[in-house]
Amino acid sequence: MTSCVDEIKFGNAFIDKAPGSDVTIDTVFNNAEYARRFLWDTYSNLYYGLPYYWGGNESLMNTGIMDALSDCFHSHNDWDEVNRQYYSGAYIPGNDGKFGYTIKNVWVAVRESYIFMENIDKTPGMDDSEKARLKAEAKCIIASRYFDIFRHYGGLPLIKKSFSGTEAAYDYPRGSVEETVNFMTGLLDEAAKDLPWKLDDSEQSNWDGRFTKAAAMGLKCKILVFAASPLFNDAQPYCTTGDQTAVQKKQVWYGGYRQDIWKQCLTACQDFFTELTKDGYYGLVQAAGSRPGDYRAAFRKAYSTRGTTEMLLSTRVRYTTNNSDWNYCFHTWNGYGGYTPTEEYAEMFPWKDGHPFNYDKLEQTSGLDSMFMDSKYNLTRDPRLYETIVVNNLPMSLNDNGDMSGRFAELWVKGREAQDCPTQETGQYATGYANNKFYMYDDSKNKPTEWPYLRLSELYLIYAEALAQNGDYDGAIQQVDVVRSRVGLGGLAACNPTENLHDKDVLINEILRERACELGLEETRFFDMIRYKRADLFKEQLHGLRIYRLDNSGNVLNASWSDKKSGQVGYSTSGPIHFKYEKFPLVNKSRTWWTSFDPKWYLSAFPPTEINKGYGLTQNPGW
């Protein structure tokens, strides 16, 4: 940031060099406005989960995304690091991988936050209550950045002050999992005491995106549900091969199963929802009506709009091209096939009444033609499906009022969108589907794309998981139903009469499926597979859906609907109505771990160059 009245600059231009005679720490913190701007710049280092520019942090895995490592999405983009390092099995210690230990601005944010906290008390023109609030926000920034890297590496060095760069030596050994978790949650507990539950109405327009008490308490729940999960909290460590030093020092697990960690998570959730009931304001974005488009519009607003009652914390970036697209690169890379949904993911979404979708029984129940829409072009599935995935015959536009319009997506072979896909299994429609989340048929161009770092629907599902892990199955189902009802789905128990939802494993699987549907492409599914050590899902062969358009006699029509000829059947004034569907195994860009998954992949490897610096890092097991 640059001041309106002088040339004092913040961020890396200031912080990456020792203060000179013209601009010093004293200069910045002797002025209230400069001090505030220093913290606002520190906020710019918060995590943003979509690639948006070539190079460095901005491109993430060279345009690849985390969920392309899960069973929900598959990358058909040759040159992203998802393919180069993970599908190929080429990732080794020293590679940046999915989250580089030193290049994601984690330590920049931590250092800037400590510099702020160490100096803000001497700033004139700022009352003590504001100083306390801003220091609390800095603590939240540290905790959030620690969590961003913790879920990739486990226990971390616990930094508790800034460094000048002139120290002769550093001795900051890697903390245990428990120490790291306590460090993060301790910062959030301290911060919550000095933060407002929400932003005042006068602050919303300019300051939305700042940490609040609600965000601090919610993030604590998110940290604890990760920590309490089997990755770290189990009778056996996740990896028993290679050097076990990190295992012995409990830097990658708690040393055994501990039910009290799940109890801590439950208590944090109870505290959050008690405060929510008391202070109000936050709530799920609700639909304006009962049409599928109404539910879908509410869901879209919930994850993509800053300042709603559902968004606890969001981050954004500004990047424009010559044609003023805010997220031009994400749109472009989406078109290259980097984020193609799988058939396994599409089948997670239930029917629109909430009953489970079962492809194998489809023909005997509702018929293939109603897989996504019925004969009158009414949507037949969970509204979140259509917002997350472009499916065959879907109207290609949705306005703020929930009205769907425009021509229908032609995802069948030789259709306008698919063309020769997925027979060639390349490009945006390589799986017979396309990603719609954050893409939204170009409706999101020319405005910032929000990254929903933490929203209320996730807190309901975290609470459900914590209740289930503590034996309160009916309470867990009740929390899941709050999220389902927002999109018009029936209750979980009523819609699954043959499932024993009082079996903990069955219920947890349903919660994880619900999380995948609600939080798709928000880096949820991949980490759910990681924290539950789901090697079975990582090894699972994934599929696409090949679609053919048929005439009324069942013959394949090899042309787009827009190319219809006089007398041709199999279409109406709205669009085609008959299709043939075939599941097929994905073979292009196959994943090494489909046949040779190793548990060491659950956590990333520290760079050997960092270990060799001798300040106390140990390598994760297996690497």
Side-chain angles (χ1 to χ4, degrees):
M1 291 187 177
T2 304
S3 168
C4 297
V5 296
D6 56 36
E7 293 302 316
I8 293 180
K9 296 183 179 181
F10 299 89
N12 291 342
F14 168 75
I15 207 67
D16 282 352
K17 62 179 181 180
S21 59
D22 53 341
V23 179
T24 67
I25 286 178
D26 287 338
T27 305
V28 173
F29 290 98
N30 198 40
N31 181 293
E33 184 59 25
Y34 292 164
R36 294 184 188 103
R37 292 183 183 185
F38 187 93
L39 183 62
W40 307 157
D41 181 80
T42 304
Y43 266 104
S44 70
N45 293 306
L46 290 181
Y47 184 67
Y48 184 81
L50 296 175
Y52 62 92
Y53 185 61
W54 283 108
N57 297 328
E58 296 87 350
S59 69
L60 299 183
M61 286 185 282
N62 198 32
T63 78
I65 60 169
M66 219 73 70
D67 275 347
L69 301 171
S70 76
D71 59 350
C72 290
F73 292 87
H74 188 76
S75 173
H76 288 84
N77 191 354
D78 286 340
W79 37 262
D80 67 16
E81 297 306 315
V82 171
N83 277 279
R84 289 177 176 177
Q85 294 195 53
Y86 288 95
Y87 290 0
S88 67
Y91 173 77
I92 59 173
N95 291 358
D96 290 331
K98 53 188 169 61
F99 196 95
Y101 182 67
T102 60
I103 67 168
K104 294 297 182 183
N105 287 344
V106 170
W107 306 115
V108 172
V110 169
R111 181 174 183 237
E112 288 187 5
S113 296
Y114 278 122
I115 288 176
F116 181 86
M117 290 191 291
E118 291 162 358
N119 290 278
I120 189 61
D121 283 338
K122 65 186 179 184
T123 301
M126 185 184 294
D127 62 36
D128 289 343
S129 62
E130 183 181 5
K131 291 176 181 178
R133 175 180 177 177
L134 297 183
K135 282 193 286 186
E137 292 182 37
K139 291 175 183 178
C140 290
I141 292 173
I142 294 171
S144 71
R145 295 272 50 198
Y146 257 83
F147 177 61
D148 296 334
I149 197 169
F150 169 76
R151 58 185 185 168
H152 292 276
Y153 292 92
L156 299 164
L158 305 182
I159 308 301
K160 299 181 180 180
K161 67 174 185 177
S162 67
F163 297 102
S164 66
T166 61
E167 289 82 1
Y170 300 89
D171 183 19
Y172 281 84
R174 184 181 181 187
S176 68
V177 164
E178 185 167 17
E179 290 169 338
T180 306
V181 170
N182 290 345
F183 174 67
M184 293 184 288
T185 58
L187 286 170
L188 294 170
D189 286 341
E190 293 174 10
K193 298 175 183 178
D194 294 312
L195 290 172
W197 174 249
K198 67 177 184 67
L199 297 181
D200 291 336
D201 292 341
S202 61
E203 297 175 310
Q204 285 285 358
S205 60
N206 286 331
W207 300 115
D208 192 70
R210 290 173 65 176
F211 269 100
T212 61
K213 183 177 181 179
M217 295 182 71
L219 180 56
K220 179 181 178 180
C221 298
K222 186 168 182 172
I223 290 170
L224 286 173
V225 80
F226 196 100
S229 300
L231 175 68
F232 296 136
N233 187 24
D234 206 350
Q236 298 294 327
Y238 74 89
C239 180
T240 57
T241 60
D243 188 342
Q244 294 291 292
T245 301
V247 172
Q248 294 160 5
K249 293 185 175 183
K250 300 181 182 179
Q251 294 164 341
V252 292
W253 70 323
Y254 278 98
Y257 178 74
R258 288 175 48 182
Q259 181 63 33
D260 66 296
I261 309 301
W262 278 115
K263 179 61 178 176
Q264 289 179 35
C265 181
L266 177 58
T267 300
C269 292
Q270 291 169 334
D271 290 344
F272 174 87
F273 281 97
T274 297
E275 201 74 19
L276 177 71
T277 302
K278 181 175 67 176
D279 288 339
Y281 179 71
Y282 291 105
L284 300 186
V285 176
Q286 297 297 332
S290 58
R291 300 174 303 164
D294 295 322
Y295 292 127
R296 183 179 162 195
F299 176 63
R300 173 180 292 189
K301 187 176 182 181
Y303 78 81
S304 67
T305 304
R306 174 173 278 202
T308 67
T309 57
E310 182 161 344
M311 193 73 77
L312 299 177
L313 186 71
S314 64
T315 59
R316 64 168 70 177
V317 296
R318 181 186 179 100
Y319 173 68
T320 57
T321 65
N322 292 334
N323 60 357
S324 300
D325 292 342
W326 282 79
N327 54 356
Y328 166 79
C329 290
F330 177 74
H331 279 71
T332 300
W333 297 326
N334 193 81
Y336 290 156
Y339 325 123
T340 53
T342 64
E343 173 63 19
E344 282 71 18
Y345 187 29
E347 292 183 21
M348 293 182 192
F349 293 88
W351 294 106
K352 68 178 182 179
D353 65 358
H355 284 81
F357 175 83
N358 188 324
Y359 179 93
D360 295 330
K361 295 182 179 179
L362 188 60
E363 194 165 11
Q364 292 89 339
T365 56
S366 300
L368 290 168
D369 284 339
S370 64
M371 187 169 176
F372 303 118
M373 303 177 70
D374 63 21
S375 61
K376 296 181 180 179
Y377 302 97
N378 298 309
L379 303 184
T380 57
R381 301 279 291 282
D382 181 342
R384 296 172 298 186
L385 169 66
Y386 308 101
E387 183 61 24
T388 307
I389 301 176
V390 180
V391 300
N392 186 47
N393 227 22
L394 177 69
M396 296 188 69
S397 183
L398 176 76
N399 65 23
D400 292 339
N401 295 321
D403 297 314
M404 288 177 284
S405 60
R407 66 180 183 82
F408 288 61
E410 300 183 5
L411 270 58
W412 61 85
V413 176
K414 301 300 182 182
R416 183 184 297 188
E417 273 71 45
Q419 298 295 317
D420 290 327
C421 294
T423 54
Q424 295 182 357
E425 202 186 319
T426 59
Q428 185 173 1
Y429 302 95
T431 60
Y433 298 104
N435 171 59
N436 197 37
K437 192 81 173 277
F438 301 109
Y439 182 78
M440 303 181 294
Y441 294 122
D442 296 346
D443 289 348
S444 61
K445 284 189 175 182
N446 302 317
K447 60 183 178 181
T449 301
E450 303 295 337
W451 176 250
Y453 190 89
L454 185 66
R455 56 190 181 96
L456 187 58
S457 62
E458 183 176 8
L459 266 294
Y460 278 107
L461 295 174
I462 290 173
Y463 193 13
E465 189 175 342
L467 286 164
Q469 289 287 0
N470 281 280
D472 186 353
Y473 305 128
D474 290 332
I477 293 168
Q478 182 179 0
Q479 300 306 317
V480 174
D481 287 350
V482 173
V483 177
R484 288 168 64 92
S485 65
R486 189 258 295 282
V487 289
L489 304 183
L492 189 64
C495 292
N496 292 271
T498 62
E499 296 289 337
N500 180 12
L501 296 179
H502 281 199
D503 181 310
K504 185 171 74 172
D505 291 338
V506 172
L507 181 54
I508 290 297
N509 279 337
E510 277 300 304
I511 293 171
L512 297 184
R513 182 202 55 75
E514 194 68 33
R515 283 170 59 86
C517 295
E518 175 70 19
L519 305 166
L521 216 73
E522 296 178 36
E523 294 189 349
T524 297
R525 181 63 175 182
F526 172 69
F527 286 111
D528 284 352
M529 291 166 61
I530 290 290
R531 63 192 181 90
Y532 273 92
K533 300 191 292 188
R534 293 298 301 270
D536 59 324
L537 296 179
F538 282 112
K539 293 178 181 179
E540 183 181 22
Q541 171 66 57
L542 301 179
H543 296 80
L545 188 69
R546 188 172 292 118
I547 307 164
Y548 298 95
R549 184 166 69 94
L550 306 178
D551 63 19
N552 289 334
S553 299
N555 301 310
V556 173
L557 297 170
N558 289 316
S560 71
W561 177 77
S562 56
D563 292 334
K564 59 186 180 292
K565 297 182 175 68
S566 177
Q568 183 174 308
V569 294
Y571 67 89
S572 71
T573 56
S574 299
I577 56 176
H578 299 302
F579 300 97
K580 176 184 177 182
Y581 297 97
E582 295 176 349
K583 286 200 286 189
F584 68 93
L586 299 179
V587 294
N588 193 10
K589 319 304 175 199
S590 62
R591 311 183 189 192
T592 295
W593 56 48
W594 283 350
T595 55
S596 57
F597 182 81
D598 192 308
K600 70 180 183 180
W601 292 85
Y602 289 136
L603 291 182
S604 295
F606 288 100
T609 53
E610 287 296 305
I611 295 174
N612 294 338
K613 289 177 181 178
Y615 57 81
L617 274 187
T618 59
Q619 187 59 278
N620 280 331
W623 297 109

